[in-house]
Amino acid sequence: MASSQPIKKVLLVGAHGAVGKVILEALVQAACFEISVLRRSTSASPIAAAGISQINVLPDMSLDELTAACAGQDAVIAAFNLRDVSQHLRLVEAASGAGVKRYIPADYGSCDAASPRAQHRLKLYRDKTLVREKCESLAEKATREGGPFSWTSIICGHFFDHGLHDGLLHFDLGAHKAQILDDGNIKASASTLARVAEAVVRVLQRAAATRNRAVFVQSFCPTQLEILASLERATANKWRTQHLDSNAFLDRQSRRLADGHHDATEEIVFVLGTVDADWTHKDGFAMDLLGLENENLDEVVAAVVADHAKRKVSS
């Protein structure tokens, strides 16, 4: 049975990762949640800041420990990587068993895990789908039995500012070079890390409207050529480009991954999040539902370029 009570107590798992730390900041800034973070007892990450509770668990993250950690929480947010999908499956089960109202899985970027193309290419997306299916089955059980458990997946496309900084989007800020897939005119939704965190907060604040569904969000939906043009404006330079056939690139990286080159995973994610990620036509496109508006591409790109230059000077 859906609860009419607002979500107040929130447990964040993975608070010190690239996504998790930004989600934590947004939860704090919202000033309407009691926040706890889950931390492995062997973690070298810093302890929680003042006003944030910390719950330690053993590294294996057993079901019993996770269930105890989730007890009394209204929402649990997963923001840690899916290297071990069993941990994510146990966390969902623990949240359900502890009576948590809302679970947000680590389903954020770069493409929809339910896409047949994504599932064919990477175990990562098959694992994400396993977690989503676990959420669905536990929510159906809760509905039958009058329990509170529900879920929301937030799917955001590429982490734009993070990927641009680190070269994951194949725009080289230092060398002013870009690798463009096909003709470069495919639109793809992408989100800044701040937008992802903002979407998490909005989902928790709009619990009834976002119950038991996937929501698709973005900062903008540009083509690679539009990103390139923005980068040329921000750097006041003409960039060199190399065009790549996306299917041939995917096949090559899939072979590399099969041969044990694990860096190929990021390359496959890059392609899928560039050619298969236009959320604007999705039934679950939720910008209006969440009260979100597109960000300005030029402003975001200019900020990333300025920060990259600053980092270069300081190093």
Side-chain angles (χ1 to χ4, degrees):
M1 180 172 60
S3 172
S4 60
Q5 296 297 314
I7 288 174
K8 183 73 174 175
K9 300 188 69 175
V10 178
L11 175 64
L12 176 60
V13 186
H16 299 288
V19 182
K21 65 184 180 182
V22 184
I23 292 175
L24 180 59
E25 290 171 2
L27 291 171
V28 171
Q29 290 172 3
C32 59
F33 302 111
E34 295 176 23
I35 307 162
S36 300
V37 299
L38 189 76
R39 182 174 178 268
R40 291 182 180 88
S41 57
T42 56
S43 174
S45 59
I47 61 173
I52 299 172
S53 300
Q54 180 171 291
I55 302 172
N56 290 329
V57 296
L58 293 174
D60 63 352
M61 297 175 66
S62 71
L63 179 59
D64 287 345
E65 274 201 305
L66 290 175
T67 302
C70 291
Q73 302 291 338
D74 295 323
V76 173
I77 303 165
F80 61 108
N81 64 55
L82 271 91
R83 288 195 188 98
D84 183 353
V85 69
S86 69
Q87 292 180 342
H88 290 260
L89 293 170
R90 286 197 300 275
L91 184 58
V92 178
E93 187 174 349
S96 174
V100 167
K101 298 174 188 175
R102 182 59 48 89
Y103 184 83
I104 298 178
D107 205 4
Y108 311 102
S110 292
C111 62
D112 183 5
S115 162
R117 188 177 192 180
Q119 293 195 10
H120 169 69
R121 290 291 181 175
L122 281 180
K123 180 179 181 294
L124 168 66
Y125 295 114
R126 296 193 293 274
D127 285 346
K128 285 188 175 186
T129 300
L130 283 176
V131 176
R132 198 187 298 185
E133 289 172 348
K134 183 77 167 178
C135 290
E136 291 171 341
S137 66
L138 289 171
E140 288 169 2
K141 179 183 177 184
T143 299
R144 290 193 306 269
E145 299 178 356
F149 180 79
S150 65
W151 63 278
T152 307
S153 280
I154 300 169
I155 303 155
C156 63
H158 279 318
F159 298 140
F160 184 79
D161 46 349
H162 174 71
L164 201 55
H165 263 304
D166 291 357
L168 299 173
L169 303 186
H170 286 232
F171 292 100
D172 188 329
L173 295 177
H176 295 169
K177 295 189 301 184
Q179 290 184 318
I180 305 297
L181 296 175
D182 304 323
D183 64 2
N185 281 311
I186 302 170
K187 285 189 171 293
S189 299
S191 297
T192 61
L193 292 178
R195 171 48 48 89
V196 179
E198 186 180 19
V200 169
V201 170
R202 297 293 178 91
V203 162
L204 297 180
Q205 292 173 332
R206 293 161 170 77
T210 58
R211 179 180 175 82
N212 294 337
R213 57 176 293 183
V215 295
F216 293 81
V217 301
Q218 64 181 33
S219 288
F220 24 62
C221 189
T223 67
Q224 280 188 292
L225 291 183
E226 288 171 340
I227 297 170
L228 176 64
S230 184
L231 281 164
E232 289 184 335
R233 288 190 291 271
T235 58
N237 270 292
K238 182 70 175 176
W239 284 44
R240 289 174 290 158
T241 60
Q242 175 189 11
H243 283 258
L244 304 173
D245 180 280
S246 60
N247 288 320
F249 187 87
L250 273 175
D251 288 341
R252 183 165 64 254
Q253 296 303 326
S254 293
R255 290 193 297 271
R256 291 186 66 245
L257 184 61
D259 290 339
H261 298 280
H262 298 295
D263 64 295
T265 295
E266 291 290 355
E267 302 285 36
I268 294 170
V269 168
F270 152 66
V271 177
L272 294 176
T274 302
V275 304
D276 190 20
D278 182 350
W279 305 155
T280 60
H281 303 294
K282 287 274 192 181
D283 289 341
F285 190 54
M287 296 291 283
D288 289 342
L289 176 70
L290 298 178
L292 299 172
E293 295 182 357
N294 279 352
E295 297 183 68
N296 184 288
L297 176 65
D298 280 346
E299 289 178 2
V300 172
V301 167
V304 171
V305 168
D307 189 51
H308 182 268
K310 188 185 301 181
R311 293 184 190 186
K312 190 174 181 180
V313 170
S314 64
S315 63

